[in-house]
Amino acid sequence: MRSIFAFALLFVAAPVLAQKTPLPAATPASTEATISEPVRKAWGFDNSDIKPDPDALYGVLPNGMRYVVKRNATPKHAASIRMRVDMGSTADLPGQEGGAHFLEHMAFNGSKRVPEGEMIKLLERAGLSFGADTNAYTSFGETVYMLDLPQVTPQLIDTALMLMRETAGELTLSPAAVERERGIILGEMRARENFGLRQFKDQVSFLVPGTPIARSLPIGTESSIKAVTPAGLRKLYDSFYTPERATLIVVGDTDPVVLEKQIIAKFSDWRGKAKVDTDPMSATIDRGRPISTRLFVDPDVPTSVSITVVTPLRTQPDSEARRELVVRESIGAGILGRRLDALSRKADAKFTGASASIGDLISTAQSASVTVIAKDRDWKSALSVGEQELRRALTHGFTDAEVKEQVANTQTALRNAADQASTRQSAGLAIGFISAIENSSIVSIPAANLARFETMMPRLTANTIQDAFRKAWNGARPLIFVAHNEAVSEGEQTIASLFNDSAKVAVAPPAANDNQAFAHSNYGPAGKVVADSRIADLDIRTIRFANNIRLNIKKTDYEKGRIRIGVRVGGGLLEFPQSPDGLGILMSAVFSAGGTTKHSADELQSILAGRAVSGGLSPGMDSFSAYRTTTATDLDLQLQLTAAFITAPGYRPEAEAQWRNIVGAFLPTLDSTPGGVASRDLPRLLASGDTRFGIPSETALKALTFAQLKSVITPALSGGPIEIAIVGDVDEAVAITAVAKTFGALPKREAEHPSYAAGRAVRFPTSRAPITLTHSGKPDQGIAMTIWPTTDDADHRQEVTLELLSQVIQLQVTDVLREKMGATYSPSAGSEMSSLFKGYGQMTVSSTAEPAKMDEIFKAVDAIAAGLATKAPSADLITRARNPMLERIERNRRENGYWMGIVDEAQSLPKDLRYPRDQERLLRAVTAADLQAAAKLFLKQGSELRVKIVPKG
């Protein structure tokens, strides 16, 4: 592994019986051209002029269950299965809020044919990992179960459909299982509780009072979760888990006709036990509500102001006209957001960021909203900015240049989607069908979406955009919501008074913006290639130019029309001194906002509108890097832009001012959650105080300047080694020419990195005294961590062994801490071994938990570690840990993102080529004895470091 810390400011098998039920008659499914009337009606095609995806096979069973199957070969030999139930938290029983989510958990806790505790094990043996490939979620209006199958063998498809059928109508909901799961759900609730959730709940109750979504969050409350009964769950299950409320979606590399027969066989015998005709999401929205204000006070919340108009939900069917209206509204909101974004980057900005939107509010209402994040908790200035910029747009409308920019960006996104349609991921397509059902829309193909947009483009004028924007905002009176960290005298009245005062300030029309030409297109004579070879077994072409620029190319067909580019320069944080502290965070946050010497970030956004390019440079542990995705059309421009940020960074004062605003707004929030404290303090502690890790104080961060950053990184940017990776649907000759004209044309650079001896001196702390950190959040929140020092990744066999050992531990802590003890919602275990710091690595077990349960958790983790050192893990446990890892390796080989991590240093760090060559072989070779030996070596009693993150006081 290249880095072991994220650097930023900023979740006995049951028998598989053959289905012997005779196949009943079902309404035939077919492609769009011959869809039968019952299917058209069931899917809403009968009252829409939008053509559905012609390659999707739609159907409906006699019992009312809908299904759709689509063949898709990305990734190859795999499939994504989703089952959506039209019921979420708005159906919860009074006093038992959180019941729908509780019911979702119970789907993994026993059914007619799958005993409690066996479903996940069954899937793990088949190569699916819990969480990544096997998961579910509950929202306000739906519950969705998800399986991502690594292989589409008949047996695995049959097993997956059987499990979905069991979930649909055969859950046992035993009282004992309900009690065991209750503690896990309470743990999840504690883990998710933070100021953001509290603000969301208060804001929804303000915007749509009295509606179902205002009454019941999916997670519920502590008291309501404790009040959920098996009888209540049974009532929800029998009432809402019915065929007419269910939709099955299968997208993958399999024959839809064959799969349809399997679906009919599995689900046609399903009969609902009850029927609820009312819609739990239905709500009445009061258009006549007067201007209203709300002050939400929470000591941890970043200060922000939202101005929102709420109108009744649109109930018209999906149509060409409705989609054009949505486009006009989104362009108007996009222009307002763009204006606010530009203002936030000015040196004298009175706010740190903003957003604008027009759309659906959780399937309950339509909303138009603008949100402004305050600078230095100054909510009054944020309110004035939001009100006046909104009124400027409503009064004076938009310029032709602003509309042109938004239209160009939209057209490019749609064109790229159409060009890349044949290699879309199955999981993404499955999510698209789920979203369409939730939004009462129809899935249409990317080419049709592009054609539709290009047909409407002549009608997308400043006048039509302004008209749609005004109508969205004039449907009701504004609702002003202020989130602040302390009380305001006569809060609601003061907010209303400030809003009225702001409305009296005159606003001028927006200034015209003349686009410039991109000024970084000429880098001089093209560079010459002096070395050209190919790594045959991995099909990676390696090029070196006369100026020592290295280029590595891997052509693939995994993402049609997409090209990934990675540019690495210098040594990243290895170049950084111990003082001043936090320069890497400064660079991560606002280096790109500094633009280039010839263009500000705002100018670049206008100049590059409609192009699939993006700028900036980020500090990694061992390089300053830019990883971007573009197209063949924009390959030259993307390389020109990236070269500009390396050779001519802007370091503009407005970006430096924006940095101080960001720090003041968001750094204090880290103290409010255990996870925030962990990200801020723990990396530095585990690196024996190395200041390049973790996040320093607000005072230290605000004192940083671009001048300090420039003095540190300029030598690397101006002369350090550069290695470029290009992966994807690329013409090698074209790529070499494009790099020759940009990076190949630069002055000669260093060929090799220095040793960075001082920068590589990182050590795990020698003391094993327990560490206790504190947070200012809820008193029942905390994190308990057990961390064993290991070593670096020099020995690949040892690295793979420890990775497998960590997955064995993951299964065990999930079984013990989550399922048996109910002490935590989501325990995790992982091994990280550095490629940069000699001897540096860690094995970590982490659990969110109540402070009172931490000692019990530590004791259980110690017992697991001691057990592995004393007795080798069972063959079944190893299988359940290893098979998902093997499937991930196979899946990774078919993904460009994986190959970018290999190709980007194919010349400078050839040892990373061992991953595609050796990883699977080494993983298959790890034995139970190897795992026991690794546990004995690294999980020794007394070698571990315990960390508690607990509430203050």
Side-chain angles (χ1 to χ4, degrees), residues 49 670 703 856:
D49 56 2
L670 295 179
E856 185 182 4

Side-chain angles (χ1 to χ4, degrees), residues 659-712:
W659 158 250
R660 293 184 180 85
N661 295 342
I662 291 171
V663 171
F666 293 103
L667 191 66
T669 67
L670 295 179
D671 192 56
S672 66
T673 64
V677 170
S679 67
R680 184 190 65 196
D681 299 340
L682 194 56
R684 183 166 300 185
L685 291 170
L686 297 182
S688 299
D690 193 311
T691 60
R692 295 170 299 169
F693 297 84
I695 301 171
S697 69
E698 181 176 350
T699 300
L701 288 175
K702 283 187 172 181
L704 296 175
T705 66
F706 267 164
Q708 293 169 319
L709 177 65
K710 185 176 181 179
S711 68
V712 171

Side-chain angles (χ1 to χ4, degrees), residues 835-893:
S835 63
L836 306 177
F837 311 122
K838 187 174 182 180
Y840 194 61
Q842 300 158 18
M843 179 77 75
T844 303
V845 175
S846 177
S847 305
T848 57
E850 294 178 85
K853 293 184 177 180
M854 288 185 178
D855 289 340
E856 185 182 4
I857 287 173
F858 286 134
K859 184 177 179 180
V861 172
D862 284 348
I864 289 171
L868 287 168
T870 303
K871 182 181 179 181
S874 69
D876 182 63
L877 186 60
I878 296 172
T879 296
R880 289 168 45 216
R882 178 165 23 214
N883 283 0
M885 294 177 67
L886 290 169
E887 293 297 346
R888 279 197 299 274
I889 291 172
E890 178 62 26
R891 185 164 58 232
N892 285 343
R893 290 171 176 164

Side-chain angles (χ1 to χ4, degrees), residues 411-424 445-448 450 454 559-562 630-633 729:
Q411 183 184 26
T412 297
L414 292 171
R415 181 185 296 119
N416 290 343
D419 291 343
Q420 298 159 12
S422 63
T423 51
R424 290 174 291 172
I445 62 174
L450 174 63
E454 291 181 337
E559 297 173 320
K560 182 175 174 56
R562 299 185 76 189
T630 187
T631 64
T633 301
D729 189 7

Side-chain angles (χ1 to χ4, degrees), residues 139-141 200 204 208 213 281 313 359-365 438:
S139 67
F140 289 98
F200 172 79
V204 168
V208 284
I213 65 171
M281 289 287 287
L313 187 68
D360 181 323
L361 177 61
I362 318 177
S363 301
T364 296
E438 183 182 19

Side-chain angles (χ1 to χ4, degrees), residues 421-479:
S422 63
T423 51
R424 290 174 291 172
Q425 293 281 328
S426 293
L429 290 169
I431 291 171
F433 283 110
I434 294 289
S435 298
I437 296 168
E438 183 182 19
N439 299 322
S440 300
S441 60
I442 294 169
V443 174
S444 51
I445 62 174
N449 296 336
L450 174 63
R452 181 183 302 108
F453 182 79
E454 291 181 337
T455 298
M456 70 176 74
M457 279 175 60
R459 300 189 293 273
L460 300 177
T461 65
N463 288 334
T464 61
I465 301 302
Q466 182 184 21
D467 182 62
F469 186 81
R470 283 176 172 169
K471 287 179 179 177
W473 276 97
N474 291 335
R477 296 176 181 87
L479 309 174

Side-chain angles (χ1 to χ4, degrees), residues 479-510:
L479 309 174
I480 303 98
F481 182 91
V482 176
H484 194 40
N485 69 322
E486 60 185 12
V488 175
S489 177
E490 299 182 343
E492 273 73 20
Q493 294 87 343
T494 301
I495 295 169
S497 176
L498 262 294
F499 185 79
N500 291 333
D501 290 345
S502 177
K504 297 173 184 176
V505 177
V507 291

